[in-house]
Amino acid sequence: MIPDELFDKIRRLEVRTRGVVENVFGGEYHSAFKGRGIEFAEVRPYQVGDDIRNIDWNVSARMDETYVKVYEEEREQTVMLCVDVSGSENFGSQEKQKREIAAEICAVMAFSAIQNNDQVGLLLFSDEVETFIRPRKGRRHVLRCIRELYAAEPQSTGTDIQGALRHVLRILRRRSILVLVSDFFDDDYDSMLRAAAQRHDTVGVELQDPREEELPPVGLVDLTDAETGETVTIDTHDPAARHAFAERARARREHTASLLQRTGVGHVPVRTDEDALDPLIAFFRERSRRGR
């Protein structure tokens, strides 16, 4: 049984995100993610302007009239949502934690997918695979995935992006849409990320929180790493300490952006102090204009 509070949260998210999909995002999704290829649909009588290379000579001979082959884009695809649920995803200095933002993003992607008759799968990971749901279609399946995003209780707090991608690459046999949602607080996953981008249409959604980038001057503060449990004390009245903290955060953000670009992965930075869906919509609109 789903607790009433969780059920209400999922229902509110469904109402909001389905509205966004129907009114704003659905068309952007369809344009941004092309089908896997072109397949034969039917034959019809030749019309002025048709490409003569598409003439079906066998049918034309039988019907005593010129017919052409008609092709259409093969639309059905698989969307795999690969979501980081490590300890750092439970952080949020604003109204929502990063994990809640991840649920919103995944809901929009999932409802967009099923509106286009695509399949949706879900993988939740920390430094191990926590949950895996095989791709399927339908509203009930999407709601199950959203429920898992909210209700999952990870067994570990660390992050292993390389391991998660390796697991996904073993499972996905044909080219799919891979959406990696994480704050990317990890190292040494470059080669696996490149392999994912070569085999699948891969998008990285980077979750950012302003308090992980800049500290206010409030005196002595104990900072605990949510993944390792390590605690350090910082005097936030010290400008040098605040500057060093901000520089480390800036270097990490720049490294992530550079890595995603080098490996051919689309990059969507999403902040917890801004609307989560605006950058996603902007990314896909730009991608549609560029034709990829």
Side-chain angles (χ1 to χ4, degrees):
M1 294 293 292
I2 304 176
D4 290 342
E5 182 180 355
L6 178 56
F7 180 85
D8 290 342
K9 183 179 291 188
I10 293 172
R11 180 58 182 158
R12 287 195 300 271
L13 179 59
E14 179 189 14
V15 170
R16 181 191 176 204
T17 54
R18 290 192 72 175
V20 171
V21 168
E22 292 170 1
N23 298 317
V24 180
F25 194 75
E28 310 299 341
Y29 171 94
H30 183 92
S31 299
F33 293 117
K34 304 299 183 184
R36 297 195 309 275
I38 302 297
E39 62 178 2
F40 171 74
E42 61 179 351
V43 294
R44 61 164 173 76
Y46 175 85
Q47 299 174 1
V48 176
D50 285 341
D51 190 336
I52 61 173
R53 290 174 296 182
N54 291 333
I55 293 176
D56 189 321
W57 296 106
N58 292 329
V59 174
S60 299
R62 291 199 306 270
M63 303 298 292
D64 199 26
E65 182 182 356
T66 304
Y67 277 75
V68 294
K69 296 178 181 178
V70 178
Y71 298 88
E72 63 183 18
E73 184 182 37
E74 187 181 3
R75 275 297 317 172
E76 183 177 314
Q77 301 193 88
T78 295
V79 178
M80 177 57 67
L81 304 171
C82 189
V83 186
D84 182 353
V85 291
S86 62
S88 60
E89 301 303 319
N90 293 322
F91 180 77
S93 63
Q94 310 301 304
E95 292 183 1
K96 298 176 182 177
Q97 297 177 340
K98 286 186 280 185
R99 187 163 162 181
E100 293 178 284
I101 299 295
E104 287 188 26
I105 292 167
C106 289
V108 168
M109 291 297 302
F111 282 119
S112 297
I114 62 170
Q115 180 174 281
N116 281 269
N117 202 37
D118 292 342
Q119 299 184 98
V120 179
L122 177 69
L123 183 141
L124 305 181
F125 71 94
S126 54
D127 55 6
E128 57 185 61
V129 173
E130 298 282 352
T131 301
F132 175 68
I133 300 177
R134 290 194 174 277
R136 292 182 61 187
K137 298 179 182 180
R139 172 179 172 272
R140 291 183 64 182
H141 177 71
V142 166
L143 291 178
R144 177 193 173 194
C145 292
I146 295 171
R147 182 190 68 204
E148 288 297 327
L149 276 163
Y150 276 120
E153 298 181 358
Q155 300 301 303
S156 186
T157 59
T159 305
D160 183 5
I161 294 175
Q162 178 174 258
L165 292 175
R166 182 182 295 112
H167 187 85
V168 167
L169 293 182
R170 282 202 305 266
I171 293 166
L172 296 179
R173 298 298 183 184
R174 66 181 187 182
R175 185 169 179 82
S176 303
I177 300 164
L178 174 58
V179 183
L180 176 60
V181 185
S182 175
D183 53 21
F184 293 91
F185 290 177
D186 193 16
D187 300 302
D188 302 325
Y189 56 91
D190 308 40
S191 60
M192 197 59 63
L193 192 62
R194 183 175 288 104
Q198 289 173 347
R199 291 178 54 182
H200 303 290
D201 194 343
T202 307
V203 177
V205 179
E206 182 190 5
L207 304 177
Q208 304 171 345
D209 188 276
R211 195 57 69 233
E212 294 173 328
E213 302 170 359
E214 185 176 356
L215 295 174
V218 293
L220 293 176
V221 174
D222 290 334
L223 302 178
T224 301
D225 189 313
E227 299 192 8
T228 66
E230 180 182 356
T231 299
V232 296
T233 302
I234 294 181
D235 181 3
T236 59
H237 281 316
D238 182 359
R242 294 203 311 275
H243 177 73
F245 182 89
E247 281 298 299
R248 284 195 295 271
R250 181 190 59 78
R252 184 180 63 245
R253 290 196 309 273
E254 290 181 354
H255 171 75
T256 299
S258 174
L259 173 59
L260 295 177
Q261 183 180 36
R262 290 197 318 270
T263 54
V265 175
H267 182 206
V268 186
V270 177
R271 296 174 59 89
T272 60
D273 59 344
E274 298 175 356
D275 189 295
L277 303 184
D278 285 347
L280 195 65
I281 293 170
F283 172 80
F284 289 121
R285 282 181 176 164
E286 174 60 25
R287 179 180 166 131
S288 298
R289 282 195 293 267
R290 289 189 285 110
R292 184 190 184 283

